[in-house]
Amino acid sequence: MCTRWITCSKSWASVKGTGLGKLHFRPAELSDVSALHSLVESAYRGTSAKAGWTHEADLLDGQRTDREELEEIIADPSRQLLLAYDGEALVGTVCIEKKDDERSYLGMLTVDPQRQSGGLGRQLIAAAEAVAKNQFGARVMEMTVIAQRPELVAYYERRGYGQTSETRPFPMDDPRFGLPKRTDLYFVVMEKALA
C-alpha cells in the first residue's frame, strides 16, 4: 500500500516541509552509499557533528557506520533506508527494520547538522512510521537511545515514544558502533503504538 509520504516504487514522494521548501523522500539505492555515508558520519561523529544538537561526538569516537553496513541494509528486504532531499541536497535519512509481524525498529535517524531544529527530524520520523505501518505491517515502532543522552530521550518522548522498562547493553568492544569515551553507556528502549 502506498502513502503520501513514500511510494511503493523507487519514484519520489513529496511533502511540504516546514521552512525547508519541498522535501522529497525515496528509498536508498546502492548508488547513494557514498553520499549517505558522508551524511551519517557528519551528523554523528567529529567536529562537524557538533554543529547540531543530536551528535554522539562527546560520547563516542570512531565511525557510526561503514559503507558495507549501508550496502547490507539496502540489499535487505526487511530493512529500508529512507532518504530525504531538499531540492537536490541530501539532508536526512532514517532506517526502518521489520522485527516481526507486529513490530518495526527505527534507527540511524540522521539530519544534516546545519539543518537541525527545523522540523526535518519530525518529518523523517513520520515517514519512517508510515513505512513501518504500510509496508511492514507494524503496529509498534521501537527504538533504542543511549541513556546518557537525556535531551534525545526527551525529543522522542515529544514525538510520542515512551520509555519501556527494558535496557540493552552498548556494544563496548565493537568498533563498528564507535569507540566509547566512557564505560557506563547503555541503551534505553522506547516504543510507540502506530495508529
Side-chain angles (χ1 to χ4, degrees), residues 3-172:
T3 72
R4 72 182 189 98
W5 288 98
I6 182 167
T7 61
C8 296
S9 69
K10 296 290 186 183
S11 62
W12 293 85
S14 299
V15 176
K16 286 284 188 184
T18 305
L20 292 167
K22 193 168 193 173
L23 293 178
H24 303 281
F25 295 87
R26 70 168 173 85
E29 300 173 352
L30 287 176
S31 61
D32 299 311
V33 167
S34 182
L36 182 56
H37 182 254
S38 294
L39 174 69
V40 172
E41 293 303 309
S42 74
Y44 280 90
R45 301 286 193 269
T47 305
S48 63
K50 292 183 179 184
W53 69 273
T54 63
H55 65 85
E56 300 168 345
D58 294 333
L59 300 175
L60 299 159
D61 279 327
Q63 68 180 20
R64 168 58 178 84
T65 188
D66 57 33
R67 287 175 173 80
E68 291 78 16
E69 181 187 21
L70 296 173
E71 290 170 358
E72 288 172 14
I73 294 170
I74 291 168
D76 185 345
S78 69
R79 296 188 283 179
Q80 185 175 114
L81 274 169
L82 189 61
L83 305 181
Y85 283 84
D86 185 4
E88 298 297 315
L90 176 61
V91 295
T93 189
V94 63
C95 183
I96 309 99
E97 179 179 358
K98 180 176 181 168
K99 300 300 280 183
D100 57 38
D101 289 341
E102 298 278 320
R103 183 173 297 266
S104 284
Y105 181 85
L106 185 150
M108 207 180 298
L109 179 65
T110 306
V111 174
D112 179 331
Q114 300 297 325
R115 296 172 185 252
Q116 292 181 12
S117 300
L120 178 54
R122 181 175 59 248
Q123 292 181 56
L124 276 163
I125 291 169
E129 291 169 355
V131 169
K133 190 167 83 170
N134 297 318
Q135 292 184 2
F136 295 146
R139 298 176 65 185
V140 175
M141 184 73 96
E142 174 187 285
M143 70 173 65
T144 56
V145 181
I146 296 174
Q148 290 75 13
R149 299 290 319 284
E151 69 284 1
L152 199 53
V153 170
Y155 172 81
Y156 288 120
E157 288 175 336
R158 293 192 299 274
R159 306 281 83 77
Y161 287 81
Q163 292 188 57
T164 68
S165 59
E166 184 181 357
T167 63
R168 295 181 187 157
F170 187 88
M172 302 297 276

Side-chain angles (χ1 to χ4, degrees), residues 169-189:
F170 187 88
M172 302 297 276
D173 298 321
D174 190 339
R176 293 177 305 153
F177 297 97
L179 305 170
K181 294 181 178 182
R182 46 194 285 184
T183 60
D184 61 342
L185 299 181
Y186 68 95
F187 294 110
V188 294
V189 179

